[in-house]
Amino acid sequence: MPVAPVMLQFWFRQGRQIPPYLRGLEPREDHLGFDLSAAPGDSLIEKTHGEAIDLSSLHEELLAGGLLLTHASRVDRIFSADESLDERFYYVFRFHYFPAQTAVPREGVDIEQLVLSLEEINKMAFWGVRADLNNGRYGPWISVSCKGRVQRYTAEDLSRPEMRNIYDARGDKIGSAPLAANRALHYLGNNHLSLSQPVTVS
């Protein structure tokens, strides 16, 4: 199978969590057949539950895999997973990657600012993820949905990392440390993704 386009999408509940450059995007529908309400295709990564996933290396791995970031788009969504729950409003931002040989960067798009926005998103939070290989209007495409934001800093203040207690083998608290990722998401090329243990810096 040829390298498929990738749509990396992030779901935000609060506007203050969104990087400033992205806030300027007007909400609109995409015209490329990437529909959030469409039935999912073949699962590449099952939905993670209660995990903090690090996506900080994904952009560079997509580039290494022959894809280029061409633009980003915004789609505002009201979502309810269960009829008994209140509806929730989400700001959904999609980063669109296409195979290098067919990629056409959108006119007026500042790709450097998009990359900086991605870096900020991944610096400020870990995420819950799922990924699917879908059949779209123009052929296969991969969706990587990042929902369930795991905040890394209190009130988005880099001087106040979110802390987690550390316990010994007997269950006694022995200290605390900044929140760490459970696993990291990687693009391996040729339409393959994987979750692995994150690299720790000693």
Side-chain angles (χ1 to χ4, degrees), residues 172-187:
D172 296 326
K173 180 181 175 182
I174 57 175
S176 61
L179 173 71
N182 299 110
R183 292 191 285 176
L185 181 65
H186 297 285
Y187 181 74

Side-chain angles (χ1 to χ4, degrees), residues 11-198:
W11 299 60
F12 292 90
R13 291 292 309 280
Q14 300 176 30
R16 64 182 175 81
Q17 299 168 342
I18 301 166
Y21 180 75
L22 296 182
R23 292 178 203 163
L25 296 179
E26 292 293 327
R28 62 184 62 191
E29 292 296 332
D30 242 292
H31 300 292
L32 294 176
F34 301 146
D35 186 358
L36 286 177
S37 63
D42 297 326
S43 177
L44 300 176
I45 299 291
E46 295 284 347
K47 182 178 179 180
T48 59
H49 294 278
E51 287 190 84
I53 307 299
D54 181 5
L55 288 92
S56 59
S57 64
L58 193 58
H59 171 73
E60 292 298 331
E61 291 169 350
L62 289 168
L63 298 185
L67 293 142
L68 290 179
L69 176 61
T70 62
H71 67 290
S73 59
R74 169 182 165 185
V75 182
D76 293 347
R77 281 285 186 264
I78 295 175
F79 175 80
S80 178
D82 189 295
E83 292 182 1
S84 64
L85 297 178
D86 291 336
E87 290 184 330
R88 295 182 177 185
F89 177 84
Y90 288 92
Y91 305 93
V92 183
F93 290 89
R94 302 162 162 181
F95 293 80
H96 300 270
Y97 294 81
F98 289 89
Q101 64 272 22
T102 60
V104 180
R106 290 283 179 89
E107 203 171 315
V109 174
D110 190 332
I111 299 297
E112 183 178 352
Q113 285 297 320
L114 289 184
V115 173
L116 290 173
S117 296
L118 264 177
E119 290 175 353
E120 181 176 344
I121 287 171
N122 291 316
K123 177 173 68 176
M124 301 306 294
F126 299 126
W127 295 84
V129 301
R130 66 170 290 171
D132 298 283
L133 179 63
N134 308 283
N135 289 310
R137 188 182 308 169
Y138 301 104
W141 60 282
I142 293 171
S143 64
V144 180
S145 185
C146 306
K147 195 175 179 182
R149 185 177 184 273
V150 183
Q151 189 160 315
R152 297 181 64 181
Y153 299 94
T154 301
E156 318 305 320
D157 182 348
L158 293 175
S159 68
R160 301 168 61 195
E162 290 282 324
M163 305 296 286
R164 293 294 183 268
N165 293 333
I166 301 174
Y167 300 91
D168 63 18
R170 296 181 300 177
D172 296 326
K173 180 181 175 182
I174 57 175
S176 61
L179 173 71
N182 299 110
R183 292 191 285 176
L185 181 65
H186 297 285
Y187 181 74
L188 306 178
N190 298 317
N191 306 327
H192 293 292
L193 291 151
S194 75
L195 285 170
S196 67
Q197 295 302 311

